[in-house]
Amino acid sequence: MSDVSRFPVVELEDLPDDLRERVGVIAEKSGFVPNIFRALGHRPAELRAFLDYHDALMERPGGLTKAERELVVVATSGANHCTYCVVAHGAILRIRAKDPELADRVSSNPWQVELDERGRAIVDLALALAQDSALFGDGDLEAARDAGLTDDEIWDVGAITALFAMSNRLAHLTALRPNPEFSAMGR
């Protein structure tokens, strides 16, 4: 086991050209290569698929704001006890929400954290789907709509919750460690 993962990791220069370019842009912007890309990089087709779906959900115009998208990730990752995603996306949430404390409060107890009505509806919907998806139903959708979420925004919450359920499980499988650089970001 490396200090990053139970499985092999790949350095940026060892990624296929297209992934090296794509991850390189992220590394240049952040100042480091996030360990998730090093861990998934030993299976390039899966890294490509992950990045494509991630970007389709997290970077698309319209729907939830970028901060609200990160709120979903941090809340569900906290509920799923995923240290990597809480630390990494907590940093992004702090930056996008311009709030140095929000991510810590959300990740430690997403069920009780004080949020405005819209934020609470987003987190409640995400948690309903993340915690026991077999019980998810019309009542959850009705509560989200009553709080003012559109069907497009509800889809965002559901799709982001689903993607990060997968990501959380991969992080658990690999014992993925967060980059230390994330801890100081947005504080």
Side-chain angles (χ1 to χ4, degrees):
M1 180 169 145
S2 74
D3 63 339
V4 172
S5 171
R6 289 182 176 124
F7 294 87
V9 295
V10 176
E11 299 306 325
L12 182 63
E13 60 270 12
D14 298 324
L15 288 170
D17 291 345
D18 64 312
L19 289 172
R20 184 172 48 251
E21 181 178 327
R22 198 164 175 187
V23 172
V25 169
I26 296 164
E28 188 173 312
K29 186 175 180 181
S30 66
F32 61 95
V33 177
N35 286 339
I36 185 72
F37 305 132
R38 295 176 62 214
L40 292 179
H42 82 281
R43 295 178 73 145
E46 292 173 36
L47 177 55
R48 278 185 201 95
F50 176 82
L51 286 169
D52 286 346
Y53 197 42
H54 174 279
D55 291 355
L57 294 175
M58 302 302 284
E59 302 298 332
R60 79 176 194 85
L64 299 178
T65 68
K66 288 187 176 192
E68 289 170 338
R69 293 165 205 255
E70 295 298 336
L71 180 64
V72 171
V73 177
V74 173
T76 58
S77 295
N80 290 328
H81 309 288
C82 180
T83 302
Y84 183 87
C85 292
V86 163
V87 171
H89 288 273
I92 300 168
L93 177 57
R94 287 191 297 274
I95 292 166
R96 292 200 168 151
K98 296 175 178 55
D99 183 336
E101 299 174 4
L102 179 61
D104 294 335
R105 291 192 323 265
V106 169
S107 66
S108 63
N109 190 346
W111 299 273
Q112 297 297 319
V113 64
E114 290 185 29
L115 299 166
D116 63 20
E117 181 183 10
R118 180 177 171 83
R120 182 78 262 156
I122 289 167
V123 168
D124 287 349
L125 181 65
L127 291 172
L129 188 58
Q131 289 295 275
D132 196 346
S133 61
L135 298 178
F136 187 87
D138 290 339
D140 299 300
L141 297 174
E142 184 177 321
R145 288 180 182 123
D146 288 347
L149 294 176
T150 67
D151 282 353
D152 190 51
E153 292 168 332
I154 289 169
W155 186 278
D156 282 347
V157 171
I160 293 165
T161 298
L163 174 65
F164 281 90
M166 180 199 71
S167 185
N168 296 162
R169 270 82 181 160
L170 283 171
H172 288 149
L173 171 71
T174 61
L176 190 61
R177 293 201 181 142
N179 303 69
E181 295 91 341
F182 282 125
S183 296
M185 292 172 66
R187 296 202 192 265

